[in-house]
Amino acid sequence: MLAGCVTKSESDLNVTNSVPENKEKTLPKEFNKQHKPPEELKLTSVLYELAVAPDPDNFAKERNIFLTKGLVKVYITFDPGSSIRQREDILKNHNITIEKKAGNLSRALVPVNRLIPLSNEPVIQSIKLPNRLIKPRE
């Protein structure tokens, strides 16, 4: 027998190939367009919801978002054409603490009430949550 060859048995001939119906996907009822950030903002939907939530602490707790003392841990992507001076001014003006940075990407602690104003800055490309849950050490 040759490796990699495909053989068919008699039982294979009786199997019909069918394509699943193309069903339209619907969003859950609790999701509606008011939860999406305006297009000009460079925030993910969940960060926008956090920024406009009446109780950010509870919102963050329910969604396992790292939030402590009004600061949320996020990744900020800067415009590659922006200068170091422009970036430093943004960080200072919005009370942002940088934890780590590499190239145009910074992991930072941002005050929740500064998320929307920060996303309006021209040198910011995007602001998003870390891909994995980050919990403080106890």
Side-chain angles (χ1 to χ4, degrees), residues 58-138:
N58 190 47
F59 182 91
K61 185 177 179 182
E62 288 174 353
R63 287 158 185 81
N64 293 322
I65 297 171
F66 179 87
L67 180 69
T68 182
K69 299 178 184 173
L71 302 173
V72 62
K73 189 173 295 212
V74 297
Y75 282 109
I76 301 170
T77 305
F78 289 94
D79 180 332
S82 62
S83 70
I84 292 172
R85 174 67 185 209
Q86 287 174 308
R87 295 176 189 194
E88 288 173 350
D89 288 346
I90 295 294
L91 299 174
K92 182 180 176 187
N93 293 339
H94 294 282
N95 299 321
I96 297 169
T97 303
I98 295 293
E99 292 185 327
K100 289 186 177 184
K101 61 183 174 178
N104 300 322
L105 183 65
S106 295
R107 187 177 73 196
L109 294 172
V110 177
V112 171
N113 66 350
R114 302 304 305 161
L115 285 169
I116 292 174
L118 176 64
S119 73
N120 284 315
E121 294 288 350
V123 299
I124 301 296
Q125 280 190 335
S126 68
I127 305 168
K128 65 180 191 169
L129 288 170
N131 291 334
R132 59 186 171 83
L133 177 63
I134 299 174
K135 289 187 177 181
R137 293 182 185 175
E138 292 183 33

Side-chain angles (χ1 to χ4, degrees), residues 36-49:
K36 293 177 77 174
E39 288 183 26
E40 66 273 8
L41 296 183
K42 302 156 200 152
L43 292 171
T44 60
S45 295
V46 72
L47 282 174
Y48 177 73
E49 289 182 65

